[in-house]
Amino acid sequence: MFIPALLSSAAVVAAPCLPAFLHCGAGKSTLLRLLNRLNDPNSGQILLDGIPITELDVLDLRRRVGLVAQQPVPLTDRVADDLRLGQPTLGDHRVCELLERVGLPAGFAQRRTIELSPRPRGGQRACPG
């Protein structure tokens, strides 16, 4: 797979979380694919803490690089069901406790996940032309 060069070189200051606010089509997804070793660069190298990422264990690397998308992807139909993905036996009472712990009302458990974030017309995001 051919991946065009994003930058000839760049240095990023170490931080626990680094946001990438770039325009649509600027290469955010490509950058994440490269950082997670889903693709390798056509030339040059990517260093993490001064070490080429090709020398790091890919699973350890992927535990350090993550993505928080602008639009969440619902996993199930209801919020309570999403919470039960990690612990299927989680009771309704515990679901409500967990929601209240993060400042959400207990009734939030029955909300449909698809309705949690507003979606533009047509149901998908598009790059402005």
Side-chain angles (χ1 to χ4, degrees):
M1 168 186 270
F2 174 75
I3 298 177
L6 295 173
L7 300 168
S8 58
S9 66
V12 178
V13 176
C17 182
L18 179 68
F21 298 104
L22 301 170
H23 293 285
C24 186
K28 295 178 296 293
S29 296
T30 300
L31 177 62
L32 283 168
R33 291 184 66 78
L34 291 168
L35 291 173
N36 279 289
R37 298 278 325 274
L38 297 171
N39 294 109
D40 288 322
N42 297 324
S43 63
Q45 61 183 344
I46 299 171
L47 306 176
L48 181 62
D49 295 331
I51 302 168
I53 64 171
T54 54
E55 295 178 14
L56 301 173
D57 178 80
V58 72
L59 293 178
D60 288 337
L61 178 66
R62 290 177 184 165
R63 287 182 186 105
R64 295 177 68 180
V65 177
L67 166 69
V68 178
Q70 289 176 299
Q71 291 291 325
V73 178
L75 302 173
T76 65
D77 188 45
R78 305 267 175 212
V79 171
D81 298 328
D82 267 12
L83 291 173
R84 289 185 179 109
L85 286 174
Q87 188 176 355
T89 59
L90 198 64
D92 290 340
H93 182 71
R94 184 68 178 136
V95 165
C96 293
E97 284 178 351
L98 291 171
L99 289 171
E100 290 171 353
R101 186 178 201 180
V102 296
L104 296 170
F108 205 81
Q110 296 308 313
R111 293 226 9 222
R112 296 194 63 218
T113 53
I114 197 76
E115 297 168 352
L116 296 179
S117 296
R119 291 183 180 264
R121 261 189 208 183
Q124 68 183 42
R125 300 186 74 137
C127 296

